[in-house]
């Protein structure tokens, strides 16, 4: 089944690369935009995955009436990094997770610009384009910490920036690239050492959490005992040697 999912996600990636103009719509607020392409990619993937697993359910960003069931449920972000897509920054991805009994068992993330296909099955490691991947082993003071700004939650902006400043002063540097799914893959493949975002939706982190943890990262949700893939969460992920420092820095400010 994983091979079929990988194929479907890569095929959908071709839609992101197409040169056709894509109309932009405003969802809510000034920062939340969606394009025709998000809708087209979602439609393509839902059709393809319905054939792979007939009767399965869908929990997808550009769809209403989402419900995370105990049966097979796909958690999908058709374009993670829509603002990057609109600005032609060539840094967006497709994120697909498969959950059963509300636990994610498969995660696939595709960056069509780099042609990098990341995937993981629970308990079976994480991979990119056929090669096993593993997190880095960096000392905290030399760590690169990436983060997201939770652009749809302006009430969290001050805290996000305060946390980012702390990392800026205690680690090597910070990064913000604009696709949470790619951030998890960067962490999983040793390109960064920690990541946080004070609010992410399930389609942003479901596949990324599995890929990062199968690659050796520790993932968690400050302020919440157990991750629940049907609602937004504060997310923290880091390599084991930096996890305590990253988690405490985020939790201390986020939970105050
Ligand atoms: C967004 C991206 C961004 C993150 C936002 C997400 P979207 O997803 O992952 O990096 O900071 O919180 O909502 O809206 O482009 O699918
Ligand atoms: Ca997203
Ligand atoms: Ca999206």
């Amino acid at each position: 089944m994983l091979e079929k999912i990988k194929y479907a996600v890569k095929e959908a990636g071709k839609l992101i690369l197409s040169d056709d103009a894509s109309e932009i719509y405003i969802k809510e607020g000034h920062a939340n935009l969606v394009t025709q392409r998000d809708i087209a990619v979602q439609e393509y993937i839902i059709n393809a995955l319905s054939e792979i697993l007939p009767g399965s359910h869908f929990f997808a960003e550009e769809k209403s009436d989402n419900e995370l069931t105990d049966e097979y449920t796909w958690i999908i972000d058709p374009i993670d990094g829509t603002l990057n897509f609109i600005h032609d920054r060539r840094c967006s991805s497709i994120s697909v997770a498969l959950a059963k009994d509300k636990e994610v068992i498969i995660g696939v993330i595709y960056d069509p610009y780099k042609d990098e296909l990341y995937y993981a099955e629970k308990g079976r490691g994480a991979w990119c384009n056929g090669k096993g991947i593993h997190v880095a082993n960096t000392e905290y003071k030399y760590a690169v910490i990436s983060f997201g700004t939770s652009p749809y939650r302006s009430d969290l902006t001050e805290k996000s920036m305060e946390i980012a400043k702390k990392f800026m002063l205690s680690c090597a540097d910070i990064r913000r690239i604009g696709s949470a799914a790619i951030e998890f893959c960067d962490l999983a493949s040793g390109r960064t050492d920690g990541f946080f975002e004070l609010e992410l939706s399930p389609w942003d982190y479901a596949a990324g959490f599995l890929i990062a943890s199968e690659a050796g990262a520790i993932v968690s949700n400050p302020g919440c005992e157990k991750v629940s893939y049907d609602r937004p969460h504060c997310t923290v992920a880091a390599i084991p040697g930096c996890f305590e420092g990253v988690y405490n820095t985020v939790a201390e400010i986020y939970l105050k």
Side-chain angles (χ1 to χ4, degrees), residues 61 77 79-80 203-204:
E61 180 171 16
D77 193 338
I79 300 186
D80 183 54
W203 40 78
D204 299 316

Side-chain angles (χ1 to χ4, degrees), residues 38 77 79-86 91-93 177-180 204:
D38 296 68
D77 193 338
I79 300 186
D80 183 54
T82 294
L83 200 57
N84 280 347
F85 175 73
I86 291 169
C91 180
S92 306
S93 58
I177 64 163
S179 164
D204 299 316

